[in-house]
């Protein structure tokens, strides 16, 4: 008899199927070839999380406002030399991920198959040459399996246009499958449209539109605070605060562009490549500049040293490398055809960015340690207090980041088949919230004020004003005999024209 197991041949493929297709909810097929898997030939037509339609037991067709998967002008084309052979049916299989065990089977515990074999056909459980499936235990009308065959010598067969109404929230998968060896060079063209009740955004991405709307508002509030302070105390501004202003501006543009990108995507079903490219580029530029600014601050630039000296070229080179690696990764994930990218290829793109992030963090904390030691040695208590708070904020951010990375790995390993798609949007949203929180801390620590210049670099003569006067000890001088007064007067150092003593008085104060 027919025995169904826990999985079938193409389940590993689902591990690498993402909802971020290049054209979003309008999945286009431009001559994709069928790939042999087991005893079947398949083309992956898409995977998306879809929310259920509004309850309406009397409405059995997909209408405006409902959730559906629509097939439009899906055409199968075979080579001319194969047109002389009669062909078996080409079938479209749509199933919810929880019903994955309903596809495929085996006879007497043998090797699992997707296409019905002669042995299974003898058992009367399926028709030879067709896809094996059985009704879902929760929804007898699913999975949906329908197909078309070539008529005579025709080279083209077009699937009838239809809409499948979605009445249950879930992660839906579409595969085109045929079991005919004579059709091994078959290709598919056309498109399918996947729609949620509120628009064309895939279910996993839908919450991000509202998220970026809130983030845009948060950046506006932060910008109002920062720019008002900047305008009030513009005479006291030093270079570091100009860099923070640039980061806030880039952040506002990035959040606004992401919101409009998702809004347009939700309205039309086709992702606007131009807006997406601008959003990706502004985001990458913002992250690169943020890393460089944090590194420069950690080195004490503009606070305890006027320039980076010989380190400038190294910092610029590291920033340029990070920008290039991040831009390629973000373009592939948000603009390119992500579903066509294998796991190893994605890993190849993610690893350089992760290594550069780790290098930035290591260099930042090494530089912070040296800067803190220098500030403590010079007794610059005001700057030292600022840097200690900055160090604590960075340490907390790194610890939280490591913890979240561990959770993200756990989440992805546990959610092999994308069953937790409704909460997957939290993972990219978290990184935006964390970077925004760190930016807020930096804005509070280095906010423009009437005393801003005391945080900026000044020469050694003026750095003494930053020292804590309570560390200086007043020693009562002993009485000097009159006969030694003249000798003491002769030994007194002479004050120069610049008001500094020619002796080691400044060095004696710090002892």
């Amino acid at each position: 008899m027919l025995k169904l197991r826990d999985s079938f041949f193409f389940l590993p493929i689902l591990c690498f199927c993402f909802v971020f297709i290049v054209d979003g909810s309008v999945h286009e097929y431009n001559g994709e070839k069928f790939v042999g898997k087991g005893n079947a030939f398949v083309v992956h037509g898409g995977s998306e999380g879809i929310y259920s339609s509004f309850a309406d037991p009397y409405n059995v067709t997909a209408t405006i406002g409902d959730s559906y998967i629509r097939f439009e002008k899906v055409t199968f084309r075979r080579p001319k030399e194969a047109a002389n052979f009669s062909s078996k049916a080409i079938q479209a299989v749509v199933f919810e991920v929880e019903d994955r065990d309903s596809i495929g089977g085996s006879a007497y515990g043998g090797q699992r198959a997707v296409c019905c074999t002669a042995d299974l056909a003898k058992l009367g459980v399926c028709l030879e040459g067709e896809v094996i499936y059985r009704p879902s235990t929760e929804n007898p009308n699913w999975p949906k399996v329908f197909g078309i065959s070539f008529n005579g010598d025709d080279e083209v067969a077009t699937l009838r246009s239809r809409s499948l109404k979605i009445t249950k929230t879930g992660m839906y998968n579409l595969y085109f499958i045929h079991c005919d060896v004579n059709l091994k060079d078959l290709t598919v063209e056309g498109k399918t449209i996947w729609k949620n009740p509120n628009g064309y955004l895939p279910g996993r991405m839908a919450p991000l539109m509202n998220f970026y709307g809130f983030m845009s508002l948060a950046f506006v509030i932060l910008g109002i605070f920062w720019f008002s302070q900047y305008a009030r105390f513009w005479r006291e501004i030093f270079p570091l605060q100009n860099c923070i202003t640039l980061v806030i501006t880039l952040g506002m543009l990035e959040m606004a562009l992401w919101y409009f990108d998702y809004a347009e995507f939700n309205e039309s079903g086709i992702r606007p490549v131009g807006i997406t490219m601008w959003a990706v580029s502004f985001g990458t530029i913002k992250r690169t500049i943020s890393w460089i600014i944090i590194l420069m601050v950690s080195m004490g630039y503009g606070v305890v040293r006027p320039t980076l000296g010989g380190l400038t070229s190294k910092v610029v080179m590291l920033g340029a490398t990070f920008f290039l690696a991040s831009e390629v990764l973000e373009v592939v994930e948000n603009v390119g055809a992500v579903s066509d990218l294998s796991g190893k290829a994605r890993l190849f793109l993610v690893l350089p960015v992760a290594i550069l992030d780790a290098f930035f963090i290591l260099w930042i904390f090494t530089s912070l340690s040296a800067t803190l030691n220098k500030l403590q040695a010079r007794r610059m208590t005001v700057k030292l207090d600022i840097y200690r708070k900055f160090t604590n904020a960075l340490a907390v951010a790194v610890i939280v980041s490591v913890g979240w990375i561990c959770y993200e790995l756990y989440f992805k390993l546990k959610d092999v088949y994308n069953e937790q798609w409704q909460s997957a949007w939290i993972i990219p949203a978290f990184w935006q919230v964390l970077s925004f929180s760190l930016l807020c801390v930096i804005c509070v620590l280095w906010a423009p004020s009437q005393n801003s210049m005391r945080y900026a670099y000044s020469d050694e003569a003026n750095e003494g004003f930053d020292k804590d006067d309570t560390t200086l000890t007043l020693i009562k001088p002993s009485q000097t005999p009159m006969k030694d007064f003249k000798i003491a007067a002769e030994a007194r150092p002479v004050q120069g024209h610049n008001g500094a003593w020619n002796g080691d008085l400044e060095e004696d104060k710090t002892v």
Side-chain angles (χ1 to χ4, degrees):
M1 59 181 295
L2 181 64
K3 181 179 179 182
L4 293 174
R5 295 182 181 176
D6 293 335
S7 60
F8 59 103
F9 80 100
F10 55 72
L11 282 184
I13 302 176
L14 296 179
C15 302
F16 307 108
C17 294
F18 298 88
V19 297
F20 304 116
I21 311 296
V22 61
D23 285 328
S25 287
V26 178
H27 295 243
E28 294 187 353
Y29 317 111
N30 300 310
E32 277 81 0
K33 292 185 176 181
F34 283 72
V35 179
K37 295 292 181 181
N39 68 340
F41 298 87
V42 301
V43 166
H44 177 236
S47 298
E48 279 194 22
I50 303 181
Y51 293 93
S52 64
S53 304
F54 299 112
D56 183 2
Y58 302 104
N59 185 10
V60 294
T61 59
T63 59
I64 297 176
D66 287 335
S67 299
Y68 59 79
I69 301 175
R70 178 184 298 161
F71 292 77
E72 291 188 357
K73 299 180 181 179
V74 177
T75 301
F76 302 97
R77 190 181 301 275
R78 61 178 176 176
K80 185 176 182 180
E81 56 270 18
N84 297 324
F85 300 93
S86 61
S87 67
K88 298 177 182 178
I90 307 160
Q91 295 176 294
V93 181
V94 184
F95 64 96
E96 203 272 323
V97 69
E98 292 183 359
D99 298 329
R100 57 186 178 273
D101 296 336
S102 300
I103 310 297
S106 62
Y108 309 110
Q111 184 178 3
R112 191 175 185 84
V114 172
C115 293
C116 186
T117 62
D119 292 336
L120 291 173
K122 291 179 181 179
L123 296 175
V125 296
C126 58
L127 297 176
E128 186 175 358
E130 294 188 0
V131 174
I132 305 169
Y133 71 96
R134 63 185 177 87
S136 169
T137 56
E138 295 186 5
N139 190 348
N141 296 323
W142 285 81
K144 299 290 187 180
V145 180
F146 50 90
I148 189 173
S149 299
F150 287 97
N151 294 324
D153 296 337
D154 291 346
E155 298 180 16
V156 176
T158 302
L159 197 65
R160 180 174 64 87
S161 297
R162 68 181 69 199
S163 295
L164 304 179
K165 183 177 178 181
I166 306 300
T167 58
K168 177 188 174 184
T169 299
M171 173 64 69
Y172 288 85
N173 302 275
L174 166 62
Y175 284 87
F176 297 107
I177 305 176
H178 74 80
C179 308
D180 194 342
V181 178
N182 294 324
L183 296 178
K184 62 180 180 179
D185 294 326
L186 186 71
T187 60
V188 58
E189 301 173 355
K191 65 181 178 179
T192 54
I193 300 174
W194 306 50
K195 185 179 180 298
N196 273 287
N198 296 320
Y200 292 98
L201 271 178
R204 178 182 290 187
M205 301 172 65
L208 288 173
M209 184 174 71
N210 293 331
F211 169 76
Y212 282 114
F214 284 117
M215 287 301 299
S216 298
L217 179 61
F219 264 96
V220 168
I221 295 174
L222 178 63
I224 291 174
F225 161 75
W226 182 265
F227 292 127
S228 62
Q229 293 294 103
Y230 192 97
R232 287 180 59 191
F233 307 106
W234 63 274
R235 295 182 182 274
E236 302 294 326
I237 298 299
F238 60 99
L240 175 59
Q241 292 169 327
N242 289 327
C243 295
I244 296 174
T245 303
L246 177 60
V247 172
I248 294 175
T249 303
L250 290 172
M252 295 172 66
L253 291 172
E254 180 194 9
M255 295 301 108
L257 286 170
W258 277 125
Y259 176 79
F260 288 120
D261 174 64
Y262 285 118
E264 177 65 22
F265 191 1
N266 190 56
E267 182 69 22
S268 64
I270 299 176
R271 193 155 197 177
V273 177
I275 299 178
T276 306
M277 283 294 300
W278 279 109
V280 165
S281 298
F282 274 113
T284 305
I285 294 172
K286 187 198 72 176
R287 284 188 294 275
T288 303
I289 293 178
S290 298
W291 272 127
I292 293 176
I293 290 175
I294 293 175
L295 179 58
M296 292 168 58
V297 171
S298 302
M299 292 177 175
Y301 170 75
V303 179
V304 296
R305 58 192 301 177
T307 65
L308 295 180
L311 296 175
T312 302
S313 58
K314 296 180 180 179
V315 172
V316 172
M317 185 179 300
L318 178 61
T321 306
F322 178 81
F323 172 79
L324 181 61
S326 298
E327 181 76 3
V328 172
L329 176 61
E330 292 296 325
V331 167
V332 169
E333 286 190 339
N334 294 281
V335 183
V338 178
S339 290
D340 295 335
L341 196 62
S342 68
K344 291 183 179 180
R346 289 198 74 255
L347 185 63
F348 177 76
L349 295 176
V350 170
L351 276 178
V353 179
I355 293 173
L356 291 170
D357 282 334
F359 192 83
F360 262 116
I361 293 172
L362 181 62
W363 198 355
I364 285 170
F365 278 97
T366 302
S367 302
L368 271 176
S369 178
T371 302
L372 287 171
N373 291 335
K374 184 180 296 185
L375 291 172
Q376 191 169 7
R378 296 182 181 179
R379 299 178 183 176
M380 302 176 186
T381 56
V382 175
K383 296 179 181 179
L384 181 62
D385 180 62
I386 294 292
Y387 265 83
R388 280 176 176 168
K389 293 177 180 178
F390 178 63
T391 303
N392 293 337
L394 281 181
V396 170
V398 170
I399 293 173
V400 172
S401 298
V402 172
W404 189 257
I405 290 173
C406 294
Y407 170 76
E408 185 175 346
L409 292 174
Y410 168 78
F411 181 89
K412 291 183 177 180
L413 291 174
K414 182 181 178 181
D415 187 32
V416 178
Y417 305 118
N418 293 329
E419 295 177 277
Q420 304 298 322
W421 58 273
Q422 295 183 67
S423 57
W425 67 274
I426 299 175
I427 291 178
F430 172 83
W431 296 111
Q432 294 288 356
V433 173
L434 181 63
S435 62
F436 178 76
S437 301
L438 186 59
L439 178 60
C440 289
V441 171
I442 294 175
C443 289
V444 170
L445 292 178
W446 278 283
S449 65
Q450 59 184 0
N451 297 321
S452 293
M453 293 306 296
R454 66 176 177 173
Y455 305 130
Y457 172 80
S458 58
D459 57 31
E460 290 297 325
N462 294 328
E463 293 286 7
F465 290 105
D466 250 346
K467 299 178 183 177
D468 190 350
D469 294 338
T470 59
T471 59
L472 299 179
T473 304
L474 298 177
I475 303 177
K476 183 179 180 180
S478 58
Q479 294 183 356
T480 304
M482 292 298 296
K483 64 181 179 180
D484 296 332
F485 180 80
K486 185 179 297 185
I487 298 176
E490 292 175 357
R492 182 179 302 167
V494 179
Q495 186 176 13
H497 67 278
N498 58 356
W501 296 97
N502 290 336
D504 295 330
L505 179 59
E506 187 65 25
E507 179 178 351
D508 293 340
K509 282 185 180 181
T510 60
V511 176

